[in-house]
Amino acid sequence: KAGVTQTPRYLIKTRGQQVTLSCSPISGHRSVSWYQQTPGQGLQFLFEYFSETQRNKGNFPGRFSGRQFSNSRSEMNVSTLELGDSALYLCASSFDGPNNEQFFGPGTRLTVL
Amino acid sequence: GEDVEQSLFLSVREGDSSVINCTYTDSSSTYLYWYKQEPGAGLQLLTYIFSNMDMKQDQRLTVLLNKKDKHLSLRIADTQTGDSAIYFCAGFSGGYNKLIFGAGTRLAVHP
């Protein structure tokens, strides 16, 4: 089975722009979660989607949004980029079963100049 | 809210055992996980333990869970240079599939 894929792997943007990141989960997984990883704050939960519905949301401003499509692929969008949004954005997929293992993709490295 | 703490750095000699420790505040997570992150990569799920278990062994990896002290540890036997990475412990807290991570322990393996 193919793992979680994320595109693009690297992205450079300037302040004020917006960006869309994509995540394709493992086949059969219906839950997709997004995390932001920075040296200062570590790994922080952004949101989780299941069957096209956002079920959970972390403490991030409204500039961060996401969605999930009927094939379970997910996108996250960050509008009006700030320097502090520079981070590694990771998505994880799971079957949402009993032991609920979360499998992570390689991440998208976003740099905001 | 949930808090997960880890020591930040561990240095071991190749062939020795490594023990990475983690303490957590929220005991509601049914499972606790260990992830490995190599430079420039995402997180690799190494192993997990059910909260009703005290120990789980998986090849070179041993997970110990002390529920009373809310302490989790990961022991890597016969540590190799390929084990050099950052190790995160994590558990669920605060709703659907929300993992809370420790700050990560950087393991350095030297000859």
PDB file of all heavy atoms in Angstrom, chain B residues 33-61:
ATOM      1  N   TYR B  33       1.825   6.457  21.909  1.00  0.00           N
ATOM      2  CA  TYR B  33       2.596   6.159  20.706  1.00  0.00           C
ATOM      3  C   TYR B  33       4.020   6.691  20.801  1.00  0.00           C
ATOM      4  O   TYR B  33       4.279   7.691  21.478  1.00  0.00           O
ATOM      5  CB  TYR B  33       1.924   6.815  19.488  1.00  0.00           C
ATOM      6  CG  TYR B  33       0.476   6.425  19.303  1.00  0.00           C
ATOM      7  CD1 TYR B  33      -0.535   7.118  19.974  1.00  0.00           C
ATOM      8  CD2 TYR B  33       0.119   5.387  18.456  1.00  0.00           C
ATOM      9  CE1 TYR B  33      -1.856   6.761  19.807  1.00  0.00           C
ATOM     10  CE2 TYR B  33      -1.211   5.036  18.285  1.00  0.00           C
ATOM     11  CZ  TYR B  33      -2.188   5.726  18.964  1.00  0.00           C
ATOM     12  OH  TYR B  33      -3.505   5.374  18.793  1.00  0.00           O
ATOM     13  N   TRP B  34       4.899   6.028  20.070  1.00  0.00           N
ATOM     14  CA  TRP B  34       6.252   6.532  19.857  1.00  0.00           C
ATOM     15  C   TRP B  34       6.476   6.710  18.365  1.00  0.00           C
ATOM     16  O   TRP B  34       6.239   5.793  17.570  1.00  0.00           O
ATOM     17  CB  TRP B  34       7.300   5.574  20.420  1.00  0.00           C
ATOM     18  CG  TRP B  34       7.429   5.640  21.907  1.00  0.00           C
ATOM     19  CD1 TRP B  34       6.906   4.778  22.829  1.00  0.00           C
ATOM     20  CD2 TRP B  34       8.131   6.636  22.665  1.00  0.00           C
ATOM     21  NE1 TRP B  34       7.236   5.169  24.095  1.00  0.00           N
ATOM     22  CE2 TRP B  34       7.991   6.306  24.029  1.00  0.00           C
ATOM     23  CE3 TRP B  34       8.877   7.779  22.326  1.00  0.00           C
ATOM     24  CZ2 TRP B  34       8.559   7.062  25.048  1.00  0.00           C
ATOM     25  CZ3 TRP B  34       9.435   8.530  23.344  1.00  0.00           C
ATOM     26  CH2 TRP B  34       9.275   8.175  24.692  1.00  0.00           C
ATOM     27  N   TYR B  35       6.957   7.909  18.016  1.00  0.00           N
ATOM     28  CA  TYR B  35       7.274   8.230  16.633  1.00  0.00           C
ATOM     29  C   TYR B  35       8.753   8.564  16.516  1.00  0.00           C
ATOM     30  O   TYR B  35       9.372   9.060  17.457  1.00  0.00           O
ATOM     31  CB  TYR B  35       6.460   9.437  16.149  1.00  0.00           C
ATOM     32  CG  TYR B  35       5.016   9.143  15.834  1.00  0.00           C
ATOM     33  CD1 TYR B  35       4.032   9.222  16.830  1.00  0.00           C
ATOM     34  CD2 TYR B  35       4.624   8.792  14.545  1.00  0.00           C
ATOM     35  CE1 TYR B  35       2.705   8.953  16.536  1.00  0.00           C
ATOM     36  CE2 TYR B  35       3.298   8.520  14.248  1.00  0.00           C
ATOM     37  CZ  TYR B  35       2.349   8.607  15.240  1.00  0.00           C
ATOM     38  OH  TYR B  35       1.033   8.347  14.948  1.00  0.00           O
ATOM     39  N   LYS B  36       9.282   8.340  15.321  1.00  0.00           N
ATOM     40  CA  LYS B  36      10.684   8.661  15.013  1.00  0.00           C
ATOM     41  C   LYS B  36      10.695   9.640  13.839  1.00  0.00           C
ATOM     42  O   LYS B  36       9.943   9.463  12.870  1.00  0.00           O
ATOM     43  CB  LYS B  36      11.434   7.384  14.628  1.00  0.00           C
ATOM     44  CG  LYS B  36      12.866   7.575  14.163  1.00  0.00           C
ATOM     45  CD  LYS B  36      13.452   6.228  13.720  1.00  0.00           C
ATOM     46  CE  LYS B  36      14.875   6.370  13.229  1.00  0.00           C
ATOM     47  NZ  LYS B  36      15.432   5.074  12.740  1.00  0.00           N
ATOM     48  N   GLN B  37      11.535  10.667  13.936  1.00  0.00           N
ATOM     49  CA  GLN B  37      11.655  11.616  12.830  1.00  0.00           C
ATOM     50  C   GLN B  37      13.126  11.782  12.480  1.00  0.00           C
ATOM     51  O   GLN B  37      13.929  12.228  13.306  1.00  0.00           O
ATOM     52  CB  GLN B  37      11.049  12.978  13.188  1.00  0.00           C
ATOM     53  CG  GLN B  37      11.025  13.942  12.009  1.00  0.00           C
ATOM     54  CD  GLN B  37      10.322  15.247  12.341  1.00  0.00           C
ATOM     55  OE1 GLN B  37      10.427  15.766  13.440  1.00  0.00           O
ATOM     56  NE2 GLN B  37       9.577  15.789  11.365  1.00  0.00           N
ATOM     57  N   GLU B  38      13.457  11.431  11.251  1.00  0.00           N
ATOM     58  CA  GLU B  38      14.808  11.629  10.742  1.00  0.00           C
ATOM     59  C   GLU B  38      14.875  12.985  10.055  1.00  0.00           C
ATOM     60  O   GLU B  38      13.833  13.543   9.673  1.00  0.00           O
ATOM     61  CB  GLU B  38      15.182  10.482   9.810  1.00  0.00           C
ATOM     62  CG  GLU B  38      15.198   9.146  10.553  1.00  0.00           C
ATOM     63  CD  GLU B  38      15.609   7.987   9.680  1.00  0.00           C
ATOM     64  OE1 GLU B  38      16.819   7.829   9.421  1.00  0.00           O
ATOM     65  OE2 GLU B  38      14.716   7.242   9.258  1.00  0.00           O
ATOM     66  N   PRO B  39      16.070  13.534   9.880  1.00  0.00           N
ATOM     67  CA  PRO B  39      16.199  14.874   9.296  1.00  0.00           C
ATOM     68  C   PRO B  39      15.485  14.994   7.958  1.00  0.00           C
ATOM     69  O   PRO B  39      15.649  14.151   7.072  1.00  0.00           O
ATOM     70  CB  PRO B  39      17.717  15.026   9.149  1.00  0.00           C
ATOM     71  CG  PRO B  39      18.295  14.141  10.186  1.00  0.00           C
ATOM     72  CD  PRO B  39      17.382  12.963  10.280  1.00  0.00           C
ATOM     73  N   GLY B  40      14.689  16.041   7.835  1.00  0.00           N
ATOM     74  CA  GLY B  40      14.005  16.302   6.577  1.00  0.00           C
ATOM     75  C   GLY B  40      12.857  15.362   6.263  1.00  0.00           C
ATOM     76  O   GLY B  40      12.326  15.392   5.142  1.00  0.00           O
ATOM     77  N   ALA B  41      12.448  14.572   7.216  1.00  0.00           N
ATOM     78  CA  ALA B  41      11.407  13.574   6.959  1.00  0.00           C
ATOM     79  C   ALA B  41      10.191  13.797   7.837  1.00  0.00           C
ATOM     80  O   ALA B  41      10.206  14.603   8.772  1.00  0.00           O
ATOM     81  CB  ALA B  41      11.966  12.170   7.190  1.00  0.00           C
ATOM     82  N   GLY B  42       9.133  13.062   7.534  1.00  0.00           N
ATOM     83  CA  GLY B  42       7.942  13.099   8.368  1.00  0.00           C
ATOM     84  C   GLY B  42       8.116  12.204   9.582  1.00  0.00           C
ATOM     85  O   GLY B  42       9.231  11.811   9.931  1.00  0.00           O
ATOM     86  N   LEU B  43       7.015  11.881  10.224  1.00  0.00           N
ATOM     87  CA  LEU B  43       7.048  11.057  11.426  1.00  0.00           C
ATOM     88  C   LEU B  43       6.771   9.602  11.067  1.00  0.00           C
ATOM     89  O   LEU B  43       5.814   9.304  10.357  1.00  0.00           O
ATOM     90  CB  LEU B  43       5.985  11.532  12.420  1.00  0.00           C
ATOM     91  CG  LEU B  43       6.109  12.962  12.921  1.00  0.00           C
ATOM     92  CD1 LEU B  43       4.948  13.311  13.814  1.00  0.00           C
ATOM     93  CD2 LEU B  43       7.412  13.155  13.659  1.00  0.00           C
ATOM     94  N   GLN B  44       7.599   8.724  11.606  1.00  0.00           N
ATOM     95  CA  GLN B  44       7.421   7.289  11.392  1.00  0.00           C
ATOM     96  C   GLN B  44       6.892   6.674  12.675  1.00  0.00           C
ATOM     97  O   GLN B  44       7.512   6.816  13.742  1.00  0.00           O
ATOM     98  CB  GLN B  44       8.759   6.659  11.011  1.00  0.00           C
ATOM     99  CG  GLN B  44       8.713   5.137  10.875  1.00  0.00           C
ATOM    100  CD  GLN B  44      10.110   4.540  10.796  1.00  0.00           C
ATOM    101  OE1 GLN B  44      11.114   5.252  10.722  1.00  0.00           O
ATOM    102  NE2 GLN B  44      10.185   3.223  10.822  1.00  0.00           N
ATOM    103  N   LEU B  45       5.754   6.012  12.591  1.00  0.00           N
ATOM    104  CA  LEU B  45       5.205   5.348  13.766  1.00  0.00           C
ATOM    105  C   LEU B  45       6.065   4.131  14.092  1.00  0.00           C
ATOM    106  O   LEU B  45       6.211   3.226  13.283  1.00  0.00           O
ATOM    107  CB  LEU B  45       3.763   4.913  13.505  1.00  0.00           C
ATOM    108  CG  LEU B  45       3.067   4.156  14.630  1.00  0.00           C
ATOM    109  CD1 LEU B  45       2.958   5.006  15.888  1.00  0.00           C
ATOM    110  CD2 LEU B  45       1.683   3.703  14.180  1.00  0.00           C
ATOM    111  N   LEU B  46       6.647   4.134  15.302  1.00  0.00           N
ATOM    112  CA  LEU B  46       7.514   3.027  15.710  1.00  0.00           C
ATOM    113  C   LEU B  46       6.727   1.930  16.407  1.00  0.00           C
ATOM    114  O   LEU B  46       6.845   0.755  16.084  1.00  0.00           O
ATOM    115  CB  LEU B  46       8.579   3.535  16.681  1.00  0.00           C
ATOM    116  CG  LEU B  46       9.733   4.328  16.105  1.00  0.00           C
ATOM    117  CD1 LEU B  46      10.649   4.772  17.228  1.00  0.00           C
ATOM    118  CD2 LEU B  46      10.492   3.529  15.064  1.00  0.00           C
ATOM    119  N   THR B  47       5.967   2.334  17.398  1.00  0.00           N
ATOM    120  CA  THR B  47       5.230   1.364  18.194  1.00  0.00           C
ATOM    121  C   THR B  47       4.204   2.108  19.035  1.00  0.00           C
ATOM    122  O   THR B  47       4.217   3.335  19.115  1.00  0.00           O
ATOM    123  CB  THR B  47       6.187   0.547  19.092  1.00  0.00           C
ATOM    124  OG1 THR B  47       5.441  -0.507  19.736  1.00  0.00           O
ATOM    125  CG2 THR B  47       6.864   1.415  20.148  1.00  0.00           C
ATOM    126  N   TYR B  48       3.312   1.349  19.645  1.00  0.00           N
ATOM    127  CA  TYR B  48       2.330   1.955  20.530  1.00  0.00           C
ATOM    128  C   TYR B  48       2.019   0.957  21.634  1.00  0.00           C
ATOM    129  O   TYR B  48       2.328  -0.232  21.534  1.00  0.00           O
ATOM    130  CB  TYR B  48       1.054   2.329  19.774  1.00  0.00           C
ATOM    131  CG  TYR B  48       0.357   1.162  19.120  1.00  0.00           C
ATOM    132  CD1 TYR B  48      -0.608   0.429  19.802  1.00  0.00           C
ATOM    133  CD2 TYR B  48       0.664   0.788  17.813  1.00  0.00           C
ATOM    134  CE1 TYR B  48      -1.243  -0.643  19.205  1.00  0.00           C
ATOM    135  CE2 TYR B  48       0.034  -0.278  17.213  1.00  0.00           C
ATOM    136  CZ  TYR B  48      -0.916  -0.991  17.896  1.00  0.00           C
ATOM    137  OH  TYR B  48      -1.540  -2.058  17.295  1.00  0.00           O
ATOM    138  N   ILE B  49       1.420   1.448  22.700  1.00  0.00           N
ATOM    139  CA  ILE B  49       1.046   0.585  23.805  1.00  0.00           C
ATOM    140  C   ILE B  49      -0.365   0.934  24.237  1.00  0.00           C
ATOM    141  O   ILE B  49      -0.742   2.113  24.293  1.00  0.00           O
ATOM    142  CB  ILE B  49       2.054   0.698  24.977  1.00  0.00           C
ATOM    143  CG1 ILE B  49       1.746  -0.341  26.059  1.00  0.00           C
ATOM    144  CG2 ILE B  49       2.076   2.112  25.558  1.00  0.00           C
ATOM    145  CD1 ILE B  49       2.883  -0.499  27.066  1.00  0.00           C
ATOM    146  N   PHE B  50      -1.134  -0.071  24.503  1.00  0.00           N
ATOM    147  CA  PHE B  50      -2.490   0.101  25.015  1.00  0.00           C
ATOM    148  C   PHE B  50      -2.386   0.542  26.475  1.00  0.00           C
ATOM    149  O   PHE B  50      -1.530   0.054  27.217  1.00  0.00           O
ATOM    150  CB  PHE B  50      -3.237  -1.217  24.872  1.00  0.00           C
ATOM    151  CG  PHE B  50      -4.678  -1.174  25.266  1.00  0.00           C
ATOM    152  CD1 PHE B  50      -5.523  -0.183  24.787  1.00  0.00           C
ATOM    153  CD2 PHE B  50      -5.209  -2.137  26.102  1.00  0.00           C
ATOM    154  CE1 PHE B  50      -6.864  -0.157  25.130  1.00  0.00           C
ATOM    155  CE2 PHE B  50      -6.542  -2.121  26.463  1.00  0.00           C
ATOM    156  CZ  PHE B  50      -7.371  -1.134  25.979  1.00  0.00           C
ATOM    157  N   SER B  51      -3.232   1.433  26.899  1.00  0.00           N
ATOM    158  CA  SER B  51      -3.099   2.033  28.232  1.00  0.00           C
ATOM    159  C   SER B  51      -3.300   1.030  29.372  1.00  0.00           C
ATOM    160  O   SER B  51      -2.942   1.309  30.512  1.00  0.00           O
ATOM    161  CB  SER B  51      -4.083   3.196  28.393  1.00  0.00           C
ATOM    162  OG  SER B  51      -5.406   2.740  28.216  1.00  0.00           O
ATOM    163  N   ASN B  52      -3.868  -0.131  29.065  1.00  0.00           N
ATOM    164  CA  ASN B  52      -4.037  -1.168  30.098  1.00  0.00           C
ATOM    165  C   ASN B  52      -2.841  -2.112  30.200  1.00  0.00           C
ATOM    166  O   ASN B  52      -2.840  -3.028  31.020  1.00  0.00           O
ATOM    167  CB  ASN B  52      -5.292  -2.003  29.832  1.00  0.00           C
ATOM    168  CG  ASN B  52      -6.541  -1.274  30.295  1.00  0.00           C
ATOM    169  OD1 ASN B  52      -6.445  -0.240  30.946  1.00  0.00           O
ATOM    170  ND2 ASN B  52      -7.687  -1.798  29.946  1.00  0.00           N
ATOM    171  N   MET B  53      -1.834  -1.889  29.374  1.00  0.00           N
ATOM    172  CA  MET B  53      -0.648  -2.737  29.392  1.00  0.00           C
ATOM    173  C   MET B  53       0.466  -2.059  30.182  1.00  0.00           C
ATOM    174  O   MET B  53       0.495  -0.833  30.324  1.00  0.00           O
ATOM    175  CB  MET B  53      -0.161  -2.993  27.962  1.00  0.00           C
ATOM    176  CG  MET B  53      -1.143  -3.770  27.109  1.00  0.00           C
ATOM    177  SD  MET B  53      -0.633  -3.828  25.378  1.00  0.00           S
ATOM    178  CE  MET B  53       0.892  -4.751  25.481  1.00  0.00           C
ATOM    179  N   ASP B  54       1.373  -2.865  30.705  1.00  0.00           N
ATOM    180  CA  ASP B  54       2.547  -2.336  31.393  1.00  0.00           C
ATOM    181  C   ASP B  54       3.771  -2.348  30.489  1.00  0.00           C
ATOM    182  O   ASP B  54       4.681  -1.538  30.675  1.00  0.00           O
ATOM    183  CB  ASP B  54       2.865  -3.174  32.628  1.00  0.00           C
ATOM    184  CG  ASP B  54       1.741  -3.135  33.643  1.00  0.00           C
ATOM    185  OD1 ASP B  54       1.134  -2.059  33.806  1.00  0.00           O
ATOM    186  OD2 ASP B  54       1.478  -4.171  34.272  1.00  0.00           O
ATOM    187  N   MET B  55       3.808  -3.293  29.564  1.00  0.00           N
ATOM    188  CA  MET B  55       4.993  -3.455  28.748  1.00  0.00           C
ATOM    189  C   MET B  55       4.596  -4.012  27.379  1.00  0.00           C
ATOM    190  O   MET B  55       3.658  -4.813  27.262  1.00  0.00           O
ATOM    191  CB  MET B  55       5.985  -4.415  29.411  1.00  0.00           C
ATOM    192  CG  MET B  55       7.307  -4.544  28.684  1.00  0.00           C
ATOM    193  SD  MET B  55       8.433  -5.721  29.444  1.00  0.00           S
ATOM    194  CE  MET B  55       7.898  -7.217  28.676  1.00  0.00           C
ATOM    195  N   LYS B  56       5.338  -3.595  26.379  1.00  0.00           N
ATOM    196  CA  LYS B  56       5.173  -4.171  25.053  1.00  0.00           C
ATOM    197  C   LYS B  56       6.546  -4.266  24.413  1.00  0.00           C
ATOM    198  O   LYS B  56       7.323  -3.310  24.454  1.00  0.00           O
ATOM    199  CB  LYS B  56       4.252  -3.294  24.197  1.00  0.00           C
ATOM    200  CG  LYS B  56       4.072  -3.824  22.793  1.00  0.00           C
ATOM    201  CD  LYS B  56       3.185  -2.912  21.955  1.00  0.00           C
ATOM    202  CE  LYS B  56       3.057  -3.449  20.545  1.00  0.00           C
ATOM    203  NZ  LYS B  56       2.262  -2.547  19.685  1.00  0.00           N
ATOM    204  N   GLN B  57       6.844  -5.442  23.855  1.00  0.00           N
ATOM    205  CA  GLN B  57       8.133  -5.633  23.196  1.00  0.00           C
ATOM    206  C   GLN B  57       7.905  -5.842  21.707  1.00  0.00           C
ATOM    207  O   GLN B  57       7.000  -6.578  21.298  1.00  0.00           O
ATOM    208  CB  GLN B  57       8.866  -6.835  23.788  1.00  0.00           C
ATOM    209  CG  GLN B  57      10.295  -6.937  23.315  1.00  0.00           C
ATOM    210  CD  GLN B  57      11.206  -7.563  24.352  1.00  0.00           C
ATOM    211  OE1 GLN B  57      10.780  -7.898  25.454  1.00  0.00           O
ATOM    212  NE2 GLN B  57      12.462  -7.709  24.000  1.00  0.00           N
ATOM    213  N   ASP B  58       8.731  -5.196  20.911  1.00  0.00           N
ATOM    214  CA  ASP B  58       8.600  -5.272  19.460  1.00  0.00           C
ATOM    215  C   ASP B  58      10.008  -5.258  18.896  1.00  0.00           C
ATOM    216  O   ASP B  58      10.572  -4.196  18.668  1.00  0.00           O
ATOM    217  CB  ASP B  58       7.771  -4.080  18.952  1.00  0.00           C
ATOM    218  CG  ASP B  58       7.417  -4.217  17.489  1.00  0.00           C
ATOM    219  OD1 ASP B  58       7.873  -5.166  16.824  1.00  0.00           O
ATOM    220  OD2 ASP B  58       6.659  -3.351  16.989  1.00  0.00           O
ATOM    221  N   GLN B  59      10.575  -6.435  18.683  1.00  0.00           N
ATOM    222  CA  GLN B  59      11.954  -6.604  18.215  1.00  0.00           C
ATOM    223  C   GLN B  59      12.914  -5.863  19.143  1.00  0.00           C
ATOM    224  O   GLN B  59      12.998  -6.188  20.314  1.00  0.00           O
ATOM    225  CB  GLN B  59      12.061  -6.147  16.757  1.00  0.00           C
ATOM    226  CG  GLN B  59      11.180  -6.983  15.823  1.00  0.00           C
ATOM    227  CD  GLN B  59      11.301  -6.597  14.371  1.00  0.00           C
ATOM    228  OE1 GLN B  59      11.548  -5.455  14.013  1.00  0.00           O
ATOM    229  NE2 GLN B  59      11.132  -7.577  13.495  1.00  0.00           N
ATOM    230  N   ARG B  60      13.638  -4.851  18.664  1.00  0.00           N
ATOM    231  CA  ARG B  60      14.603  -4.169  19.534  1.00  0.00           C
ATOM    232  C   ARG B  60      13.963  -3.131  20.449  1.00  0.00           C
ATOM    233  O   ARG B  60      14.635  -2.531  21.282  1.00  0.00           O
ATOM    234  CB  ARG B  60      15.682  -3.488  18.686  1.00  0.00           C
ATOM    235  CG  ARG B  60      16.619  -4.437  17.961  1.00  0.00           C
ATOM    236  CD  ARG B  60      17.821  -3.704  17.358  1.00  0.00           C
ATOM    237  NE  ARG B  60      17.434  -2.707  16.368  1.00  0.00           N
ATOM    238  CZ  ARG B  60      17.747  -1.416  16.466  1.00  0.00           C
ATOM    239  NH1 ARG B  60      18.439  -0.954  17.495  1.00  0.00           N
ATOM    240  NH2 ARG B  60      17.368  -0.577  15.508  1.00  0.00           N
ATOM    241  N   LEU B  61      12.676  -2.909  20.274  1.00  0.00           N
ATOM    242  CA  LEU B  61      11.983  -1.865  21.027  1.00  0.00           C
ATOM    243  C   LEU B  61      11.184  -2.451  22.181  1.00  0.00           C
ATOM    244  O   LEU B  61      10.471  -3.434  22.007  1.00  0.00           O
ATOM    245  CB  LEU B  61      11.028  -1.099  20.107  1.00  0.00           C
ATOM    246  CG  LEU B  61      11.612  -0.483  18.850  1.00  0.00           C
ATOM    247  CD1 LEU B  61      10.525   0.195  18.036  1.00  0.00           C
ATOM    248  CD2 LEU B  61      12.720   0.489  19.175  1.00  0.00           C
TER     249      LEU B  61
END
